Amino acid sequence: MAGYQDLNEFERGVTVGAREMGHGISEVAIKVGFSRTTISRVYHEYRESSKTSNLRHRCGWKMIMQEQTNGE
């Protein structure tokens, strides 16, 4: 089962779309094959920011690597 941060843009859109259409969390989880926690987190993120993407993968590690190469 895919983790919350492993979902691609399309999968997040399907999840949000199904929830917006009025389907329940458990129903969406069964249909798309993700956990209820994942469905809930994706939809909560969408409701707070009106975005379906998770930009967390763009922070942290990449900057640390750049700082290390520039600092040496």
Side-chain angles (χ1 to χ4, degrees), residues 4-70:
Y4 168 62
Q5 295 180 354
D6 295 336
L7 301 181
N8 64 33
E9 197 69 28
F10 177 76
E11 293 167 332
R12 289 173 182 275
V14 168
T15 300
V16 169
R19 289 288 292 138
E20 287 289 306
M21 290 175 52
H23 297 285
I25 291 174
S26 295
E27 184 180 1
V28 175
I30 291 169
K31 294 288 184 186
V32 297
F34 304 133
S35 69
R36 291 179 307 193
T37 303
T38 299
I39 302 302
S40 179
R41 287 180 179 168
V42 167
Y43 190 64
H44 180 73
E45 179 181 301
Y46 169 76
R47 295 293 290 176
E48 282 189 348
S49 66
S50 297
K51 296 180 193 175
T52 58
S53 65
N54 183 0
L55 301 177
R56 290 183 192 173
H57 66 277
R58 293 187 181 175
C59 67
W61 180 251
K62 192 173 185 178
M63 288 187 90
I64 291 171
M65 292 300 291
Q66 286 176 353
E67 289 173 2
Q68 286 178 352
T69 58
N70 291 340

